Amino acid sequence: QVHLVESGGGLVQAGGSLRLSCAASGISFSRYAMGWFRQAPGKEREFVAGITRSSRSTYYADSVKGRFTISRDNAKNTVYLQMNSLKPEDTAVYYCAASVYNARVDGRDYNYWGQGTQVTVSS
């Protein structure tokens, strides 16, 4: 049974930082590209960041480029999202997801999803 479990969300002031983690089990983690998505109230889910299986490539939504960094540790079956210079518009539920395809930004290309972790940025 596949589980993706996010952690690290919370309430932070604008300009602050958070580090999200996503621990995977039940899959051969190194065979999956990983991504982070978010969904704000009343809005559609959107791609945030992705990383290929070997960490060779990372890719970001324009809205977070230069502020967020995705990384992974295949030995720990964990993917991370370091979020700096947070803005109120970053407030959302953040989800990690696993894909058998590399370098995808469409959520429909992801096979497994976590339950999400809330990030709230106050102004």
Side-chain angles (χ1 to χ4, degrees):
Q1 194 171 5
V2 178
H3 290 286
L4 300 179
V5 180
E6 301 95 338
S7 61
L11 173 65
V12 64
Q13 288 188 335
S17 298
L18 283 175
R19 188 193 195 204
L20 304 184
S21 300
C22 172
S25 60
I27 59 172
S28 295
F29 184 73
S30 62
R31 295 184 179 183
Y32 287 80
M34 298 299 295
W36 286 95
F37 292 77
R38 67 187 182 187
Q39 187 166 20
K43 295 188 177 181
E44 293 188 353
R45 181 182 63 196
E46 64 174 353
F47 170 80
V48 174
I51 187 167
T52 54
R53 300 180 191 96
S54 63
S55 302
R56 178 174 293 182
S57 296
T58 58
Y59 37 105
Y60 300 91
D62 287 343
S63 60
V64 307
K65 208 170 288 184
R67 300 188 297 122
F68 290 11
T69 302
I70 188 171
S71 61
R72 66 189 294 164
D73 185 337
N74 286 350
K76 295 183 178 179
N77 289 358
T78 301
V79 62
Y80 305 96
L81 185 68
Q82 177 67 44
M83 305 186 295
N84 298 329
S85 302
L86 282 161
K87 304 175 181 180
E89 50 264 43
D90 295 318
T91 295
V93 177
Y94 283 72
Y95 300 90
C96 73
S99 174
V100 296
Y101 306 107
N102 254 344
R104 301 298 176 98
V105 300
D106 189 333
R108 293 172 294 182
D109 291 325
Y110 284 75
N111 307 94
Y112 302 107
W113 292 82
Q115 82 291 347
T117 185
Q118 176 70 46
V119 172
T120 303
V121 184
S122 63
S123 57

